[in-house]
Amino acid sequence: AQGEREAGSASSTKNNLQHRTAEMGGQQVIARRGQPFTITLHFQGRGYLHGDSLHLIAETGPQPDQQAGTQSIFPVGPGQPDLKRAWRATASAASGPRSTDVVVWPPAGAPIGRYQLKIRVDSDHTSKFYYLGDFILLFNAWCPDDDVYLESELEREEYVLNEQGLIYQGNKNWIRPVPWNFGQFEEGIVGICLKLLDRSLHFLHDPGRDCSLRNSPVYVSRVLSAMINSNDDNGVLLGNWSEDYSGGVRPTEWSGSIAILTQWDHSGGRPVKYGQCWVFAAVMCTVLRCLGIPSRVVTNFDSGHEKDGNLIIDVFYDKAGHLLPTESKDSIWNFHVWNECWMARRDLPPGYHGWQVLDATPQERSNGLYCCGPAPVSAIREGDVDVRFDAPFVFSMVNADRVAWLLDGARKEKLQWDTSAVGNNISTKCVGSDEREDITSAYKYPEGSLAERRVFLKALGQRQPLSPPVRYRSGVLPVAFSASVEDRTREPPPAMAQTSLKLQLVESPEVGQDIQLVLAACNLEFVHKELKLSLSAQAVLHDGHPRPPFWQETLYLSLRPREGKELPWTISYQQYGQQLGEDKQLCVIALGEENTTWLKTLAEKTITMASPSLDIHVLASVVVNQPFPIQVVFANPLSEPVGNCVLTMEGSGLVKGQPQIQLGPLGPRKQTSVRLQLTPYKSGPRQLHVTLKSSQFPPVKGHKQLQVAPRSGWRCRRD
């Protein structure tokens, strides 16, 4: 008898349809563990005799070993499969006189990866081995015995199968969705994701152990957290926050993961330039979903980066009210983006299953590498920062306190102590819709509640020794740490002026428009007051780093007892246009000082400038493999010409690669319209992304949701 490779791609296609991997390609079986797939064995000569004994051999990695779980030898015979532990195979009805169908059951705890399948035929005291072919094994969110099992079908469709998504950016008062093409089912992507595992330092150090540990989504996700950034291991993306993006692509230009992963692969593993937090998270989401781990992209507004272990983030202002670069490595990002992945945590005590935080943005080292997580979200909420991995750092991102200081030479004066400034409006895309879901309550108790302070103190106690007394930068806490929550274990809040200041936008501005602001000032006491107001504006990057002020003014205001006044002012585009960075964010600050008490009050507002609109019109029905026309319309919002305009298109199942159209310059306040033709190559719901790049403002993006119909005369059939 001679075993042969499975003939044609028909069986692969049927298996892949059943395993929800058909769009990854039909040339080989791509299976999910804990779920059977079928192969057909063809025999020559005397054919298959019932006296023969058949054993299959499944091997993964360069050093397959039975004890390590990377090699399994199992008979083809009757019996119920043990889906949790052992590989099994059963012969089904013969498909011909010299062939037989074999159902292979990979266990739900098998290592994922690329496998070789062989067969051993024992007959007449002889054994012969035949190579049957390769297959790929992935995690299985549909299998109750798999550690990544998700009970809800709607959630499985969203967090494993959905190739499009939304990533939230802006600031806590102005949250905007940015579309992203994950494309985890595009042909070739699964091979790149497996190659990522094989390029990790863990694999290079001990490939046998690494492949054995790939049965754990905890291990795999942590390896990927390190490999998405390039800091230690020539991973996928090189981070850049300098605003000098020469030699690469600006992070704001990316609209999908496919081009990034493909470029990394085609270059032989050279890091792709450049990424920032949302790009790292988006690529991470693609890889996790591709390998079968449920994942979603999460944005934390006012995200803390605290390094001292005291859960305090200090920010500094000068006496003119200008936000200063921090003197420490602490910072607050206007927004920060990470991933959550769904899995069981069998390495931890009960209670930590479910969503786990992963952060591929290189911020801090963890066990020597730039990676973060998986940290249980439930542990963050309860302040259990002693559980692995990296829970203390994640806790500080969502629940540190913010202290504002006024620097005047060597003198330092405390302006504010804010317990609710960090970790706001934590957001992700809703299941099955394009609405935003606020998941802040999953990370922490309501701000201002006793439960939130209790958890804060619990986390602080696990991060620092309780004796001697905990020291903040501003001195020794005067109250024993074991005191009640009401005692607050904190220094007294800074003395504040009894004058209220609040900054308000008249309307959300768009790039090119003037900014209309109102400062509301109110005397809270029954005495007359004279107030000195220092007003300023400066651009700020989304990681919290401020640029020098580009506008400032000093005003003097008289307030009668309990009087309130509103002061309008305008910041023109001519003032801010050249100062606007990639993140399109400005920080406006008002510092008030009473002329009798010298007490001060601070008000500030982060403004994110809206991008001009880019409209996409579909001009005909959309059918797979048939061209259809679209029209893209854009109006230059500036009173000056815009040069070097280029349109880039992207969309899984709609566009191969990233075709570009040169538009040339656009005149002041002029509208342009471009008519294009696309030919979709996959049916179903698809998302078209169009990006306009120019020399005058950051990339402008538009997207359109399309429903691609199957080709005419073709009926969709379920196997």
Side-chain angles (χ1 to χ4, degrees), residues 132-151:
L132 299 178
D134 291 354
F135 68 94
I136 291 173
L137 191 65
L138 306 176
F139 293 106
N140 191 354
W142 286 262
C143 175
D145 294 321
D146 197 304
D147 281 352
V148 302
Y149 173 67
L150 257 178
E151 186 174 358

mmCIF file of all heavy atoms in Angstrom, residues 132-151:
data_model
loop_
_atom_site.group_PDB
_atom_site.id
_atom_site.type_symbol
_atom_site.label_atom_id
_atom_site.label_comp_id
_atom_site.label_asym_id
_atom_site.label_seq_id
_atom_site.Cartn_x
_atom_site.Cartn_y
_atom_site.Cartn_z
ATOM 1 N N LEU A 132 1.963 12.385 4.320
ATOM 2 C CA LEU A 132 0.658 12.704 3.741
ATOM 3 C C LEU A 132 0.523 14.173 3.368
ATOM 4 O O LEU A 132 -0.121 14.502 2.381
ATOM 5 C CB LEU A 132 -0.454 12.330 4.722
ATOM 6 C CG LEU A 132 -0.536 10.855 5.117
ATOM 7 C CD1 LEU A 132 -1.660 10.647 6.126
ATOM 8 C CD2 LEU A 132 -0.733 9.969 3.889
ATOM 9 N N GLY A 133 1.113 15.063 4.149
ATOM 10 C CA GLY A 133 0.988 16.481 3.837
ATOM 11 C C GLY A 133 1.055 17.328 5.095
ATOM 12 O O GLY A 133 1.181 16.829 6.213
ATOM 13 N N ASP A 134 0.975 18.641 4.921
ATOM 14 C CA ASP A 134 0.994 19.597 6.021
ATOM 15 C C ASP A 134 -0.418 20.099 6.307
ATOM 16 O O ASP A 134 -1.277 20.129 5.417
ATOM 17 C CB ASP A 134 1.874 20.803 5.685
ATOM 18 C CG ASP A 134 3.350 20.448 5.628
ATOM 19 O OD1 ASP A 134 3.699 19.302 5.956
ATOM 20 O OD2 ASP A 134 4.145 21.314 5.239
ATOM 21 N N PHE A 135 -0.637 20.497 7.529
ATOM 22 C CA PHE A 135 -1.856 21.227 7.869
ATOM 23 C C PHE A 135 -1.513 22.218 8.973
ATOM 24 O O PHE A 135 -0.454 22.134 9.616
ATOM 25 C CB PHE A 135 -2.996 20.289 8.292
ATOM 26 C CG PHE A 135 -2.779 19.571 9.601
ATOM 27 C CD1 PHE A 135 -3.279 20.085 10.798
ATOM 28 C CD2 PHE A 135 -2.089 18.368 9.642
ATOM 29 C CE1 PHE A 135 -3.084 19.425 11.994
ATOM 30 C CE2 PHE A 135 -1.889 17.695 10.844
ATOM 31 C CZ PHE A 135 -2.382 18.225 12.023
ATOM 32 N N ILE A 136 -2.382 23.204 9.165
ATOM 33 C CA ILE A 136 -2.193 24.229 10.190
ATOM 34 C C ILE A 136 -3.279 24.059 11.239
ATOM 35 O O ILE A 136 -4.456 23.845 10.914
ATOM 36 C CB ILE A 136 -2.248 25.639 9.573
ATOM 37 C CG1 ILE A 136 -1.013 25.872 8.694
ATOM 38 C CG2 ILE A 136 -2.329 26.714 10.654
ATOM 39 C CD1 ILE A 136 -1.054 27.174 7.913
ATOM 40 N N LEU A 137 -2.893 24.159 12.511
ATOM 41 C CA LEU A 137 -3.834 24.030 13.612
ATOM 42 C C LEU A 137 -3.903 25.353 14.372
ATOM 43 O O LEU A 137 -2.871 25.932 14.723
ATOM 44 C CB LEU A 137 -3.398 22.905 14.556
ATOM 45 C CG LEU A 137 -4.428 22.476 15.614
ATOM 46 C CD1 LEU A 137 -5.661 21.870 14.951
ATOM 47 C CD2 LEU A 137 -3.804 21.469 16.587
ATOM 48 N N LEU A 138 -5.131 25.830 14.615
ATOM 49 C CA LEU A 138 -5.362 27.107 15.284
ATOM 50 C C LEU A 138 -6.156 26.897 16.569
ATOM 51 O O LEU A 138 -6.750 25.838 16.791
ATOM 52 C CB LEU A 138 -6.143 28.053 14.359
ATOM 53 C CG LEU A 138 -5.565 28.313 12.970
ATOM 54 C CD1 LEU A 138 -6.516 29.201 12.171
ATOM 55 C CD2 LEU A 138 -4.179 28.938 13.057
ATOM 56 N N PHE A 139 -6.199 27.947 17.413
ATOM 57 C CA PHE A 139 -7.081 27.946 18.574
ATOM 58 C C PHE A 139 -8.536 27.925 18.096
ATOM 59 O O PHE A 139 -8.853 28.325 16.968
ATOM 60 C CB PHE A 139 -6.840 29.185 19.438
ATOM 61 C CG PHE A 139 -5.492 29.209 20.114
ATOM 62 C CD1 PHE A 139 -4.486 30.051 19.653
ATOM 63 C CD2 PHE A 139 -5.237 28.408 21.207
ATOM 64 C CE1 PHE A 139 -3.245 30.091 20.277
ATOM 65 C CE2 PHE A 139 -4.001 28.433 21.842
ATOM 66 C CZ PHE A 139 -2.998 29.279 21.370
ATOM 67 N N ASN A 140 -9.439 27.491 18.995
ATOM 68 C CA ASN A 140 -10.836 27.296 18.590
ATOM 69 C C ASN A 140 -11.795 27.883 19.621
ATOM 70 O O ASN A 140 -12.072 27.276 20.659
ATOM 71 C CB ASN A 140 -11.124 25.800 18.408
ATOM 72 C CG ASN A 140 -12.456 25.548 17.737
ATOM 73 O OD1 ASN A 140 -13.234 26.468 17.489
ATOM 74 N ND2 ASN A 140 -12.733 24.298 17.423
ATOM 75 N N ALA A 141 -12.302 29.073 19.321
ATOM 76 C CA ALA A 141 -13.246 29.733 20.219
ATOM 77 C C ALA A 141 -14.618 29.079 20.209
ATOM 78 O O ALA A 141 -15.480 29.441 21.020
ATOM 79 C CB ALA A 141 -13.380 31.208 19.833
ATOM 80 N N TRP A 142 -14.850 28.112 19.311
ATOM 81 C CA TRP A 142 -16.127 27.395 19.235
ATOM 82 C C TRP A 142 -16.111 26.105 20.051
ATOM 83 O O TRP A 142 -17.147 25.465 20.185
ATOM 84 C CB TRP A 142 -16.467 27.073 17.779
ATOM 85 C CG TRP A 142 -16.924 28.247 16.988
ATOM 86 C CD1 TRP A 142 -18.222 28.615 16.703
ATOM 87 C CD2 TRP A 142 -16.086 29.240 16.367
ATOM 88 N NE1 TRP A 142 -18.248 29.763 15.968
ATOM 89 C CE2 TRP A 142 -16.950 30.177 15.729
ATOM 90 C CE3 TRP A 142 -14.721 29.444 16.277
ATOM 91 C CZ2 TRP A 142 -16.477 31.276 15.018
ATOM 92 C CZ3 TRP A 142 -14.247 30.539 15.572
ATOM 93 C CH2 TRP A 142 -15.119 31.443 14.954
ATOM 94 N N CYS A 143 -14.969 25.707 20.560
ATOM 95 C CA CYS A 143 -14.842 24.436 21.270
ATOM 96 C C CYS A 143 -14.858 24.681 22.773
ATOM 97 O O CYS A 143 -13.976 25.367 23.305
ATOM 98 C CB CYS A 143 -13.546 23.733 20.862
ATOM 99 S SG CYS A 143 -13.232 22.217 21.799
ATOM 100 N N PRO A 144 -15.823 24.130 23.513
ATOM 101 C CA PRO A 144 -15.905 24.376 24.957
ATOM 102 C C PRO A 144 -14.674 23.918 25.735
ATOM 103 O O PRO A 144 -14.436 24.408 26.844
ATOM 104 C CB PRO A 144 -17.159 23.587 25.380
ATOM 105 C CG PRO A 144 -17.973 23.482 24.128
ATOM 106 C CD PRO A 144 -16.978 23.363 23.009
ATOM 107 N N ASP A 145 -13.902 22.990 25.185
ATOM 108 C CA ASP A 145 -12.725 22.501 25.888
ATOM 109 C C ASP A 145 -11.477 23.324 25.599
ATOM 110 O O ASP A 145 -10.427 23.083 26.207
ATOM 111 C CB ASP A 145 -12.465 21.036 25.515
ATOM 112 C CG ASP A 145 -13.556 20.108 26.016
ATOM 113 O OD1 ASP A 145 -14.042 20.337 27.142
ATOM 114 O OD2 ASP A 145 -13.934 19.172 25.290
ATOM 115 N N ASP A 146 -11.564 24.257 24.673
ATOM 116 C CA ASP A 146 -10.422 25.104 24.349
ATOM 117 C C ASP A 146 -10.361 26.270 25.335
ATOM 118 O O ASP A 146 -11.398 26.818 25.730
ATOM 119 C CB ASP A 146 -10.537 25.630 22.917
ATOM 120 C CG ASP A 146 -9.221 26.165 22.380
ATOM 121 O OD1 ASP A 146 -8.629 27.053 23.015
ATOM 122 O OD2 ASP A 146 -8.785 25.704 21.311
ATOM 123 N N ASP A 147 -9.158 26.684 25.704
ATOM 124 C CA ASP A 147 -9.011 27.774 26.673
ATOM 125 C C ASP A 147 -9.484 29.124 26.142
ATOM 126 O O ASP A 147 -9.618 30.072 26.928
ATOM 127 C CB ASP A 147 -7.543 27.898 27.100
ATOM 128 C CG ASP A 147 -7.161 26.846 28.127
ATOM 129 O OD1 ASP A 147 -8.064 26.132 28.608
ATOM 130 O OD2 ASP A 147 -5.966 26.737 28.450
ATOM 131 N N VAL A 148 -9.723 29.238 24.835
ATOM 132 C CA VAL A 148 -10.194 30.508 24.288
ATOM 133 C C VAL A 148 -11.691 30.455 23.968
ATOM 134 O O VAL A 148 -12.205 31.332 23.260
ATOM 135 C CB VAL A 148 -9.401 30.900 23.017
ATOM 136 C CG1 VAL A 148 -7.928 31.008 23.320
ATOM 137 C CG2 VAL A 148 -9.657 29.936 21.860
ATOM 138 N N TYR A 149 -12.389 29.475 24.502
ATOM 139 C CA TYR A 149 -13.813 29.300 24.177
ATOM 140 C C TYR A 149 -14.636 30.522 24.575
ATOM 141 O O TYR A 149 -14.535 31.032 25.692
ATOM 142 C CB TYR A 149 -14.358 28.065 24.883
ATOM 143 C CG TYR A 149 -15.847 27.891 24.756
ATOM 144 C CD1 TYR A 149 -16.428 27.608 23.525
ATOM 145 C CD2 TYR A 149 -16.681 28.013 25.869
ATOM 146 C CE1 TYR A 149 -17.800 27.449 23.400
ATOM 147 C CE2 TYR A 149 -18.049 27.852 25.758
ATOM 148 C CZ TYR A 149 -18.606 27.574 24.522
ATOM 149 O OH TYR A 149 -19.970 27.421 24.398
ATOM 150 N N LEU A 150 -15.448 30.982 23.625
ATOM 151 C CA LEU A 150 -16.413 32.064 23.845
ATOM 152 C C LEU A 150 -17.808 31.488 23.657
ATOM 153 O O LEU A 150 -18.090 30.860 22.639
ATOM 154 C CB LEU A 150 -16.186 33.195 22.840
ATOM 155 C CG LEU A 150 -15.472 34.462 23.286
ATOM 156 C CD1 LEU A 150 -15.328 35.416 22.102
ATOM 157 C CD2 LEU A 150 -16.222 35.152 24.404
ATOM 158 N N GLU A 151 -18.671 31.735 24.611
ATOM 159 C CA GLU A 151 -19.999 31.123 24.557
ATOM 160 C C GLU A 151 -20.897 31.764 23.509
ATOM 161 O O GLU A 151 -21.704 31.090 22.867
ATOM 162 C CB GLU A 151 -20.651 31.201 25.938
ATOM 163 C CG GLU A 151 -21.973 30.461 26.028
ATOM 164 C CD GLU A 151 -22.523 30.435 27.438
ATOM 165 O OE1 GLU A 151 -21.852 30.964 28.343
ATOM 166 O OE2 GLU A 151 -23.637 29.899 27.637
#
